[in-house]
Amino acid sequence: QVQLVESGGGLVQAGGSLRLSCVASGRTFSTYAMGWFRQAPGKEREFVATITTNGGNTFYTDSVKGRFTISRDNAKNTLLLQMNNLKPEDTGVYYCAAGRFATDASAYSYWGQGTQVTVSS
């Protein structure tokens, strides 16, 4: 069992930056691939980025490539998402998830409660 807690969301102007954190409980964090998803108001949850168990491979949705960076620190049970050059369309609730290295939400077994990111124009 893994419990995930996100933090770092907030209100930022377009072009600004935020760094999201996700801290996992338990001793098995390093055995899971991790992902970030987001859900905008009135829209379905969508994939943002994923990272393998050792951090050696990452994958991003096209709209965030070159702006977002996913990383992890297994010694600290922490997943990060550095978000630069934010755009209003990045607004939403951001969730971290633990599971397999995939873009489909069904591949992830554990989810955090989410953190709100709002980008003003």
Side-chain angles (χ1 to χ4, degrees):
Q1 187 102 10
V2 177
Q3 293 184 327
L4 304 171
V5 179
E6 303 97 334
S7 63
L11 173 64
V12 64
Q13 289 188 332
S17 298
L18 284 174
R19 188 176 78 163
L20 304 184
S21 298
C22 172
V23 178
S25 65
R27 302 178 183 178
T28 60
F29 175 75
S30 63
T31 67
Y32 292 98
M34 297 296 296
W36 286 101
F37 289 75
R38 66 187 179 189
Q39 187 166 18
K43 295 187 178 181
E44 293 185 353
R45 189 173 300 188
E46 66 171 353
F47 166 78
V48 175
T50 184
I51 188 168
T52 51
T53 54
N54 65 359
N57 285 307
T58 59
F59 186 78
Y60 300 88
T61 192
D62 285 345
S63 63
V64 308
K65 286 180 181 177
R67 300 188 298 121
F68 290 11
T69 303
I70 187 172
S71 62
R72 66 189 297 163
D73 185 339
N74 286 343
K76 296 181 179 179
N77 281 10
T78 299
L79 175 73
L80 300 174
L81 185 69
Q82 178 66 44
M83 306 186 295
N84 298 327
N85 189 23
L86 282 160
K87 303 177 180 181
E89 52 264 41
D90 294 318
T91 294
V93 178
Y94 282 68
Y95 300 88
C96 69
R100 294 186 289 109
F101 184 66
T103 61
D104 195 320
S106 65
Y108 296 84
S109 302
Y110 303 101
W111 293 81
Q113 84 290 347
T115 185
Q116 176 71 46
V117 171
T118 303
V119 184
S120 64
S121 57

